[in-house]
Protein backbone atom coordinates (compact mmCIF):
# COMPACT_ATOMS: atom_id res chain seq x y z
CA UNK A 1 0.00 0.00 0.00
CA UNK A 2 1.60 3.30 -1.02
CA UNK A 3 2.42 5.61 1.85
CA UNK A 4 1.25 9.18 1.94
CA UNK A 5 3.88 11.82 1.40
CA UNK A 6 3.68 15.52 2.02
CA UNK A 7 3.32 17.62 -1.12
CA UNK A 8 6.60 19.05 -2.40
CA UNK A 9 7.26 22.04 -4.55
CA UNK A 10 8.65 20.90 -7.88
CA UNK A 11 11.61 22.75 -9.29
CA UNK A 12 10.68 24.20 -12.62
CA UNK A 13 13.42 25.40 -15.01
CA UNK A 14 13.09 29.09 -15.69
CA UNK A 15 11.10 29.95 -12.57
CA UNK A 16 7.73 29.37 -10.96
CA UNK A 17 4.86 29.12 -13.48
CA UNK A 18 2.36 30.10 -10.79
CA UNK A 19 4.27 33.31 -10.06
CA UNK A 20 5.46 34.64 -13.43
CA UNK A 21 6.14 38.20 -12.26
CA UNK A 22 8.19 37.04 -9.30
CA UNK A 23 10.07 34.59 -11.51
CA UNK A 24 10.83 37.30 -14.07
CA UNK A 25 12.12 39.70 -11.41
CA UNK A 26 14.22 37.02 -9.71
CA UNK A 27 15.70 35.93 -13.03
CA UNK A 28 17.14 39.42 -13.60
CA UNK A 29 17.83 40.82 -10.10
CA UNK A 30 20.40 43.39 -11.18
CA UNK A 31 18.05 44.99 -13.67
CA UNK A 32 15.23 45.31 -11.18
CA UNK A 33 17.40 46.47 -8.30
CA UNK A 34 18.79 49.19 -10.57
CA UNK A 35 15.29 50.13 -11.64
CA UNK A 36 14.16 50.27 -8.01
CA UNK A 37 16.96 52.68 -7.09
CA UNK A 38 16.08 54.87 -10.08
CA UNK A 39 12.44 54.87 -8.98
CA UNK A 40 13.48 56.02 -5.50
CA UNK A 41 15.75 58.79 -6.77
CA UNK A 42 13.05 59.88 -9.22
CA UNK A 43 10.57 60.11 -6.36
CA UNK A 44 13.06 62.20 -4.41
CA UNK A 45 13.43 64.57 -7.36
CA UNK A 46 9.67 64.77 -7.87
CA UNK A 47 9.11 65.73 -4.21
CA UNK A 48 12.03 68.16 -3.98
CA UNK A 49 12.01 71.90 -4.38
CA UNK A 50 13.71 73.41 -7.42
CA UNK A 51 16.77 74.27 -5.36
CA UNK A 52 17.18 70.78 -3.93
CA UNK A 53 16.56 69.22 -7.33
CA UNK A 54 19.25 71.41 -8.88
CA UNK A 55 21.69 70.48 -6.12
CA UNK A 56 21.07 66.73 -6.34
CA UNK A 57 21.27 66.53 -10.14
CA UNK A 58 24.48 68.55 -10.31
CA UNK A 59 26.09 66.74 -7.36
CA UNK A 60 25.47 63.36 -8.99
CA UNK A 61 26.37 64.48 -12.49
CA UNK A 62 29.35 63.08 -14.37
CA UNK A 63 30.26 66.39 -15.98
CA UNK A 64 33.81 67.71 -16.14
CA UNK A 65 33.50 69.66 -12.89
CA UNK A 66 32.37 66.66 -10.83
CA UNK A 67 34.69 64.21 -12.58
CA UNK A 68 37.70 66.36 -11.76
CA UNK A 69 36.78 66.51 -8.06
CA UNK A 70 34.87 63.33 -7.24
CA UNK A 71 35.47 60.90 -10.14
CA UNK A 72 34.18 57.72 -8.48
CA UNK A 73 31.05 59.36 -7.07
CA UNK A 74 30.36 61.04 -10.40
CA UNK A 75 30.71 57.85 -12.43
CA UNK A 76 28.69 55.65 -10.07
CA UNK A 77 26.10 58.17 -8.91
CA UNK A 78 25.20 59.39 -12.39
CA UNK A 79 23.92 55.91 -13.29
CA UNK A 80 21.13 56.05 -10.70
CA UNK A 81 19.35 59.28 -11.60
CA UNK A 82 17.19 60.47 -14.47
CA UNK A 83 16.52 64.12 -15.08
CA UNK A 84 12.77 63.88 -15.63
CA UNK A 85 10.86 61.66 -13.16
CA UNK A 86 7.92 61.55 -15.59
CA UNK A 87 10.04 59.45 -17.94
CA UNK A 88 10.41 56.65 -15.37
CA UNK A 89 7.66 54.44 -16.92
CA UNK A 90 9.37 54.75 -20.31
CA UNK A 91 12.70 53.68 -18.85
CA UNK A 92 11.00 50.83 -16.98
CA UNK A 93 9.77 49.47 -20.32
CA UNK A 94 13.23 49.79 -21.85
CA UNK A 95 14.78 47.98 -18.89
CA UNK A 96 12.34 45.10 -19.34
CA UNK A 97 12.86 44.94 -23.10
CA UNK A 98 16.66 45.16 -23.15
CA UNK A 99 18.38 44.84 -19.77
CA UNK A 100 16.30 42.02 -18.32
CA UNK A 101 16.68 39.66 -21.34
CA UNK A 102 20.43 40.34 -21.51
CA UNK A 103 20.89 39.66 -17.80
CA UNK A 104 18.89 36.44 -17.98
CA UNK A 105 20.88 35.36 -21.03
CA UNK A 106 24.43 36.24 -19.92
CA UNK A 107 24.05 36.12 -16.16
CA UNK A 108 24.18 39.06 -13.76
CA UNK A 109 27.97 39.35 -13.58
CA UNK A 110 28.57 39.45 -17.35
CA UNK A 111 25.61 41.77 -17.87
CA UNK A 112 27.00 44.13 -15.25
CA UNK A 113 30.45 44.07 -16.86
CA UNK A 114 28.96 45.09 -20.21
CA UNK A 115 26.75 47.93 -18.98
CA UNK A 116 29.28 49.27 -16.44
CA UNK A 117 32.07 49.30 -19.01
CA UNK A 118 29.87 51.16 -21.47
CA UNK A 119 28.64 53.66 -18.89
CA UNK A 120 32.16 54.47 -17.67
CA UNK A 121 33.94 54.46 -21.04
CA UNK A 122 31.25 56.45 -22.88
CA UNK A 123 31.13 59.02 -20.08
CA UNK A 124 34.89 59.52 -19.97
CA UNK A 125 35.34 59.65 -23.75
CA UNK A 126 32.42 62.00 -24.35
CA UNK A 127 33.54 64.31 -21.54
CA UNK A 128 37.06 64.29 -22.95
CA UNK A 129 35.55 65.55 -26.21
CA UNK A 130 33.76 68.31 -24.26
CA UNK A 131 37.04 69.28 -22.58
CA UNK A 132 38.84 69.54 -25.90
CA UNK A 133 35.98 71.58 -27.35
CA UNK A 134 36.20 73.99 -24.40
CA UNK A 135 39.96 74.31 -24.82
CA UNK A 136 39.49 75.00 -28.53
CA UNK A 137 36.79 77.60 -27.71
CA UNK A 138 34.22 75.68 -29.72
CA UNK A 139 31.79 75.53 -26.79
CA UNK A 140 31.40 77.77 -23.72
CA UNK A 141 33.15 76.90 -20.44
CA UNK A 142 29.75 76.43 -18.85
CA UNK A 143 29.63 73.04 -20.59
CA UNK A 144 31.86 71.77 -17.79
CA UNK A 145 28.91 72.16 -15.40
CA UNK A 146 26.01 70.78 -17.45
CA UNK A 147 23.96 67.98 -15.92
CA UNK A 148 25.19 64.65 -17.26
CA UNK A 149 23.23 61.83 -15.65
CA UNK A 150 21.16 58.91 -16.78
CA UNK A 151 21.02 55.28 -17.74
CA UNK A 152 21.05 55.57 -21.51
CA UNK A 153 24.69 54.56 -22.04
CA UNK A 154 24.10 51.24 -20.29
CA UNK A 155 20.91 50.76 -22.28
CA UNK A 156 22.73 51.36 -25.56
CA UNK A 157 25.27 48.68 -24.62
CA UNK A 158 22.46 46.24 -23.80
CA UNK A 159 20.89 46.99 -27.18
CA UNK A 160 24.22 46.21 -28.82
CA UNK A 161 25.00 42.88 -27.17
CA UNK A 162 21.40 41.70 -27.53
CA UNK A 163 22.14 41.51 -31.26
CA UNK A 164 23.83 38.15 -30.72
CA UNK A 165 20.75 36.72 -29.01
CA UNK A 166 18.84 36.80 -32.29
CA UNK A 167 19.12 34.23 -35.09
CA UNK A 168 20.15 35.13 -38.61
CA UNK A 169 18.81 36.84 -40.71
CA UNK A 170 16.77 38.72 -38.10
CA UNK A 171 20.00 39.64 -36.30
CA UNK A 172 21.09 41.80 -39.23
CA UNK A 173 17.75 43.68 -39.44
CA UNK A 174 17.91 44.36 -35.70
CA UNK A 175 21.53 45.52 -35.95
CA UNK A 176 20.76 47.81 -38.88
CA UNK A 177 17.91 49.38 -36.91
CA UNK A 178 20.07 49.85 -33.81
CA UNK A 179 22.91 51.43 -35.79
CA UNK A 180 20.51 53.78 -37.58
CA UNK A 181 18.81 54.74 -34.30
CA UNK A 182 22.08 55.88 -32.73
CA UNK A 183 23.99 57.00 -35.83
CA UNK A 184 21.41 59.43 -37.23
CA UNK A 185 21.40 61.73 -34.15
CA UNK A 186 25.20 61.54 -34.01
CA UNK A 187 25.49 62.71 -37.62
CA UNK A 188 22.78 65.38 -37.40
CA UNK A 189 22.83 66.80 -33.85
CA UNK A 190 26.43 65.85 -32.99
CA UNK A 191 26.04 66.26 -29.22
CA UNK A 192 28.39 64.65 -26.72
CA UNK A 193 25.46 62.54 -25.50
CA UNK A 194 24.90 61.20 -29.02
CA UNK A 195 28.59 60.34 -29.14
CA UNK A 196 28.27 58.50 -25.82
CA UNK A 197 25.34 56.47 -27.13
CA UNK A 198 27.26 55.45 -30.26
CA UNK A 199 30.30 54.47 -28.19
CA UNK A 200 28.12 52.39 -25.87
CA UNK A 201 26.49 50.56 -28.76
CA UNK A 202 29.93 49.68 -30.15
CA UNK A 203 31.09 48.51 -26.72
CA UNK A 204 28.04 46.26 -26.43
CA UNK A 205 28.81 44.76 -29.83
CA UNK A 206 32.48 44.36 -28.90
CA UNK A 207 31.55 42.07 -26.02
CA UNK A 208 30.62 39.34 -28.51
CA UNK A 209 33.10 36.86 -26.90
CA UNK A 210 30.86 36.73 -23.81
CA UNK A 211 28.03 35.35 -25.94
CA UNK A 212 29.80 32.53 -27.76
CA UNK A 213 28.55 29.76 -25.46
CA UNK A 214 25.07 31.24 -25.05
CA UNK A 215 21.93 29.99 -26.83
CA UNK A 216 20.34 31.95 -29.65
CA UNK A 217 16.58 32.50 -29.79
CA UNK A 218 14.94 29.67 -31.72
CA UNK A 219 18.09 27.57 -31.87
CA UNK A 220 18.31 24.58 -29.49
CA UNK A 221 21.44 23.96 -27.42
CA UNK A 222 23.82 21.37 -28.76
CA UNK A 223 25.04 18.82 -26.25
CA UNK A 224 28.46 17.24 -26.29
CA UNK A 225 28.72 13.43 -26.36
Amino acid sequence: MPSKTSPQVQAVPGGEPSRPIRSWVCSSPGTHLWLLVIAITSLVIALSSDGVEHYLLHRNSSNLYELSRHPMRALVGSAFWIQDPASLPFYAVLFEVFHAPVERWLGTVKWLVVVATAHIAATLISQKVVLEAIQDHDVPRSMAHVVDIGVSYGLAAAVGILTYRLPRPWRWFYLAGAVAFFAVPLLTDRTYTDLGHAISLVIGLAFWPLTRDKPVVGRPRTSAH
Side-chain angles (χ1 to χ4, degrees), residues 3-4 12 16 28 34 37 41 43 46 52 80 85-86 113 125 133 150 154 164 183 205 222:
S3 59
K4 292 183 179 180
V12 179
E16 305 170 76
S28 47
W34 190 5
V37 175
T41 57
L43 179 62
V52 173
F80 295 98
V113 168
I125 295 173
Y164 307 114
L205 292 169
T222 56

Side-chain angles (χ1 to χ4, degrees), residues 28-180:
S28 47
T31 295
H32 292 94
L33 180 59
W34 190 5
L35 191 57
L36 175 61
V37 175
I38 294 170
I40 294 172
T41 57
S42 296
L43 179 62
V44 170
I45 291 296
L47 298 177
S48 298
S49 64
D50 291 343
V52 173
E53 176 184 346
H54 181 273
Y55 170 79
L56 290 173
L57 293 181
H58 280 79
R59 182 177 175 81
N60 291 282
S61 180
S62 54
N63 55 33
L64 287 173
Y65 180 83
E66 293 296 334
L67 282 173
S68 65
R69 286 159 177 78
H70 311 286
M72 290 303 299
R73 187 186 72 192
L75 288 171
V76 175
S78 61
F80 295 98
W81 297 78
I82 55 177
Q83 198 161 356
D84 181 11
S87 63
L88 178 62
F90 174 68
Y91 280 110
V93 171
L94 293 180
F95 268 54
E96 300 297 346
V97 172
F98 296 107
H99 277 310
V102 171
E103 185 180 0
R104 294 186 71 194
W105 181 43
L106 298 181
T108 300
V109 173
K110 291 181 179 180
W111 162 80
L112 182 59
V113 168
V114 173
V115 297
T117 300
H119 174 76
I120 293 171
T123 297
L124 294 178
I125 295 173
S126 60
Q127 288 300 320
K128 174 65 173 177
V129 172
V130 174
L131 176 60
E132 293 178 350
I134 291 175
Q135 293 172 339
D136 293 338
H137 305 288
D138 293 330
V139 297
R141 298 186 64 86
S142 60
M143 285 292 293
H145 298 269
V146 297
V147 173
D148 183 27
I149 58 172
V151 300
S152 57
Y153 292 166
L155 272 168
V159 170
I161 199 166
L162 195 61
T163 300
Y164 307 114
R165 183 78 170 93
L166 303 176
R168 300 179 181 88
W170 306 112
R171 174 182 300 181
W172 309 124
F173 290 110
Y174 172 88
L175 178 59
V179 170

